[in-house]
Amino acid sequence: MLASVLLQFTPLRVNLASERRDLRRVVGHQLRAYRSGLSVLAEVDGRDQARRRTVPLSPETIPLRYQVWRLQYGQSADQVLTSEETITDWFQRDGVDGRVLILGDPGMGKTHTLLAMGAHLLRRTEASGPVPVLVDLSGWNGENLDHWLVGYLWEVYRLCRPTAMVWLQSGQLTLLLDGFDHLPIPRQRTCAKEINTLLRSNPEQTALLCCRRRVVETSGIEFSEFNSGLYILPLAAQQVKDYLLAQGCDALWPQVKASKALQQLGRFPLYLTLLAVLAPGIRAEASAITGKDALVQTYLSHGLDRAPAPATPAERATLRWLADHLGTRSRSLRLDALGPSWLPESQRLLYRLLVGLGLLGIFTVIGGNPGVGLAWGLAFSQLDLEAFPYTRLSLALASWRSVGGLALVCTVPALGLGLGVGSLGSLILGRFNLGLPAFGWGGLVGAVLGWSLGLGLGLWGGLPQGIQIRQRPNQDIQMALRNGAILFGLLALVFALVLVMPAVVNGQSPLTLLTVPRLRVVAAALISAYLWFSFALQQGVVRGLLTRSPSRLPWAMATWMQRWAQRRVLRPWGGDYGFAHETLRETLAKDGPSSD
């Protein structure tokens, strides 16, 4: 609380009106990106390409139909809604009060509907009302949901902790909850209880939750605080026909109509889209497609074996490894977030050893003092910066404006305490003719304390004025290196000031205190701290080890993942990558276990 109050008097103070505008802007960008990335419909090669249009199946192209489900709200269960506008109007009606489950089978379009409603709600709340935010529950590990949401809003939107807590407690956010189906059943039960507790304790909180229909019907899980539900009805035959003709798949429609297996698959938006992708070669394969598993396998083979560069055995193994690992953690992989937890147990000790050796090497080569480097490496190799996301990501998100304020918050205390502690040391030890070194080295200690205090205050709870989403892979590392260079460069200037200025004032050589050996040690300390604090050293070690682990992830991971995103096996989410659909991930994970 004290830090939050003090922040109001710094260049990093929170402006809630500005924060709301920034959040609305980035949510709009996020929803557009996610909706465009959801379609697995890919361009095809050959003569039919000119006739094909890459129009994704969604509520905009073929209106889905939604049957109202009775939960707490006494609406007739046979009511059917047929447009985004009507379901958004219904969501905001009295009695429903903004608490709705979106129900359906896998591949039926639950996430499409969630994102479409989020976009409509965002337009309707331009002046006031709760701002919709997308929350992926797949990374929830059983912790208190209130606290997890605050951390999630920071990780995804860079919404600082004080603002996130205030907005959650006052119901100023509409939670678009996805990824619930990704959790194992025991964790789903706990998560449902946490969601009910959250909604019960905050009557103003609005929420949409995607959930498979069978979870509600057979698992015994109850969503007692939701007032109603929308069940997405399977596509009718006319909708299937209209979509295939719109995609230029005229020859596929008779085959679908003649096959009971394809008729059933065509009623699911996901599988209908996969059929459209495979349309050029479906005649030879139609008889082999007897169900969704066979269709998904055929689609994956189409993506993996596509010319001019079919997947190698190593690439297939890497995709299986990724599918297996994303089954037990968040559905998307952010390259900047790769840490020791991604390594096999057998390599985690090696990771710490290599980080320590890296710091030792810097002190040996630059500082010429392996003894100090050994102590430095032993200390910092045991600290996992990924456990302090507010500190690490604050450095990674700062814009030029924000990093300017952060530099001021760090440098002013560093300079003030440096001069203050140095002067105090000089007064105390001046009678022993040690005033000059006392000022210099006391100033050095004071500068470190002041810089650390200012940085801790500035980064406590996350950096204000930094709301954004990642636009590209490796963005956090690149920004952290840039901003870290600015902050540590200013700290180096403060060091130079307190170590050089006293000698100049006394008419002595500027390097009286800062001799070459000492200068080398100070430079090594600054460089190693900079590489550690910006997470560049840790990332380099983790990625290097992952290239040698059973995963065989390539060093150029972003390029590799973009390749598979172009083939619609993976999909990009800003700086994140995930599988084009959970069904694809599950199928790949079944092909073979990962061998950590």
Side-chain angles (χ1 to χ4, degrees):
M1 181 62 71
L2 176 60
S4 180
V5 172
L6 291 176
L7 276 175
Q8 301 305 313
F9 300 96
T10 74
L12 303 176
R13 60 185 176 274
V14 178
N15 182 324
L16 291 180
S18 175
E19 296 278 270
R20 176 185 166 84
R21 287 194 299 271
D22 288 344
L23 182 61
R24 294 191 74 262
R25 174 178 52 80
V26 301
V27 168
H29 177 84
Q30 179 196 40
L31 291 176
R32 288 191 296 272
Y34 277 36
R35 294 176 81 185
S36 63
L38 272 180
S39 174
V40 297
L41 188 62
E43 293 184 0
V44 297
D45 300 321
R47 291 174 298 176
D48 288 339
Q49 183 171 349
R51 301 176 57 232
R52 301 283 301 283
R53 295 189 301 156
T54 54
V55 182
L57 182 60
S58 69
E60 291 90 349
T61 55
I62 298 179
L64 302 179
R65 298 178 301 148
Y66 305 91
Q67 182 180 12
V68 174
W69 269 46
R70 288 193 298 262
L71 293 174
Q72 304 301 316
Y73 181 49
Q75 182 94 26
S76 173
D78 58 3
Q79 182 183 6
V80 175
L81 308 177
T82 58
S83 73
E84 294 176 26
E85 288 288 348
T86 56
I87 60 177
T88 306
D89 291 338
W90 176 80
F91 172 78
Q92 296 180 313
R93 289 181 59 177
D94 291 340
V96 177
D97 297 326
R99 296 186 176 187
V100 171
L101 296 178
I102 300 176
L103 304 169
D105 298 316
M108 194 58 74
K110 299 187 296 295
T111 300
H112 269 299
T113 301
L114 182 75
L115 297 178
M117 291 186 69
H120 277 268
L121 291 170
L122 188 64
R123 286 192 291 269
R124 296 185 181 192
T125 58
E126 183 172 356
S128 61
V131 179
V133 291
L134 185 62
V135 177
D136 188 353
L137 293 170
S138 64
W140 182 75
N141 289 314
E143 55 267 70
N144 178 275
L145 189 60
D146 286 343
H147 296 162
W148 182 84
L149 282 172
V150 172
Y152 180 89
L153 292 171
W154 169 248
E155 288 275 356
V156 175
Y157 295 105
R158 314 301 168 87
L159 183 61
C160 66
R161 178 162 50 188
T163 304
M165 292 176 65
V166 169
W167 283 356
L168 282 171
Q169 292 167 2
S170 57
Q172 296 185 48
L173 302 174
T174 294
L175 304 178
L176 309 178
L177 302 171
D178 200 10
F180 180 83
D181 296 328
H182 182 81
L183 301 174
I185 289 294
R187 201 178 301 168
Q188 284 182 346
R189 298 182 189 279
T190 307
C191 187
K193 292 178 182 177
E194 287 285 335
I195 293 172
N196 287 331
T197 300
L198 172 68
L199 297 180
R200 189 181 305 116
S201 62
N202 188 354
E204 301 301 319
Q205 182 64 63
T206 53
L208 277 160
L209 171 65
C210 289
C211 180
R212 294 180 182 179
R213 174 179 173 176
R214 65 175 177 79
V215 171
V216 176
E217 292 181 329
T218 64
S219 68
I221 294 175
E222 294 184 359
F223 295 99
S224 57
E225 298 303 314
F226 284 85
N227 297 324
S228 195
L230 291 172
Y231 171 59
I232 305 176
L233 296 170
L235 297 178
Q238 187 61 45
Q239 291 176 293
V240 175
K241 178 180 179 181
D242 291 343
Y243 181 69
L244 292 177
L245 296 180
Q247 295 300 319
C249 304
D250 307 55
L252 179 57
W253 167 241
Q255 291 180 281
V256 171
K257 188 167 58 172
S259 168
K260 290 185 177 180
L262 295 183
Q263 287 178 20
Q264 290 299 317
L265 291 172
R267 305 191 73 191
F268 292 79
L270 171 67
Y271 304 130
L272 179 59
T273 307
L274 299 187
L275 287 170
V277 172
L278 299 172
I282 200 72
R283 292 181 182 177
E285 298 168 339
S287 59
I289 299 177
T290 57
K292 66 177 184 179
D293 292 338
L295 175 60
V296 173
Q297 285 285 7
T298 302
Y299 173 80
L300 285 173
S301 298
H302 170 83
L304 296 176
D305 297 333
R306 230 163 90 192
T312 65
E315 286 178 316
R316 293 172 185 268
T318 299
L319 282 170
R320 287 196 298 270
W321 177 89
L322 186 62
D324 186 54
H325 277 251
L326 292 184
T328 57
R329 56 181 79 224
S330 175
R331 296 180 299 173
S332 61
L333 168 61
R334 177 161 54 92
L335 297 181
D336 306 83
L338 286 171
S341 62
W342 279 86
L343 297 172
E345 288 286 349
S346 58
Q347 290 188 343
R348 294 182 188 179
L349 181 60
L350 178 59
Y351 159 80
R352 296 194 183 279
L353 177 62
L354 291 176
V355 170
L357 288 176
L359 296 173
L360 173 60
I362 292 172
F363 268 90
T364 301
V365 174
I366 299 176
N369 195 325
V372 175
L374 180 61
W376 195 273
L378 287 173
F380 279 88
S381 64
Q382 302 305 309
L383 296 176
D384 290 327
L385 191 57
E386 64 179 357
F388 305 95
Y390 288 99
T391 300
R392 178 167 59 89
L393 294 181
S394 288
L395 191 65
L397 68 86
S399 62
W400 288 112
R401 180 185 68 175
S402 297
V403 79
L406 189 59
L408 188 62
V409 167
C410 294
T411 306
V412 170
L415 188 59
L417 274 181
L419 295 176
V421 173
S423 299
L424 181 62
S426 177
L427 287 174
I428 295 175
L429 299 179
R431 68 186 67 180
F432 304 107
N433 294 322
L434 297 174
L436 180 61
F439 185 94
W441 300 113
L444 192 70
V445 172
V448 171
L449 291 175
W451 190 84
S452 302
L453 178 64
L455 189 67
L457 173 63
L459 302 187
W460 180 90
L463 187 67
Q465 306 174 13
I467 294 178
Q468 58 184 270
I469 56 174
R470 289 172 296 278
Q471 304 292 330
R472 61 186 186 278
N474 300 318
Q475 176 179 315
D476 287 350
I477 293 296
Q478 294 166 3
M479 293 289 288
L481 285 170
R482 185 200 77 177
N483 295 334
I486 295 172
L487 297 180
F488 279 92
L490 290 172
L491 181 60
L493 290 177
V494 174
F495 281 3
L497 183 64
V498 298
L499 290 174
V500 172
M501 184 184 69
V504 173
V505 171
N506 286 342
Q508 301 180 28
S509 169
L511 297 180
T512 299
L513 294 178
L514 196 59
T515 61
V516 173
R518 292 171 179 173
L519 176 61
R520 291 180 63 184
V521 171
V522 170
L526 286 171
I527 292 172
S528 59
Y530 161 61
L531 292 177
W532 182 85
F533 198 76
S534 62
F535 207 59
L537 177 62
Q538 297 93 315
Q539 276 278 298
V541 172
V542 167
R543 296 193 187 191
L545 289 174
L546 284 175
T547 64
R548 308 301 303 169
S549 72
S551 69
R552 297 293 182 184
L553 278 174
W555 181 264
M557 296 181 195
T559 302
W560 183 85
M561 290 187 171
Q562 183 59 34
R563 174 188 172 190
W564 294 109
Q566 291 170 351
R567 296 179 178 223
R568 296 299 198 260
V569 176
L570 301 179
R571 62 179 173 184
W573 290 341
D576 300 357
Y577 284 90
F579 282 90
H581 193 273
E582 181 69 4
T583 305
L584 302 185
R585 186 203 64 77
E586 292 173 349
T587 301
L588 275 169
K590 291 176 184 176
D591 286 346
S594 112
S595 54
D596 281 358

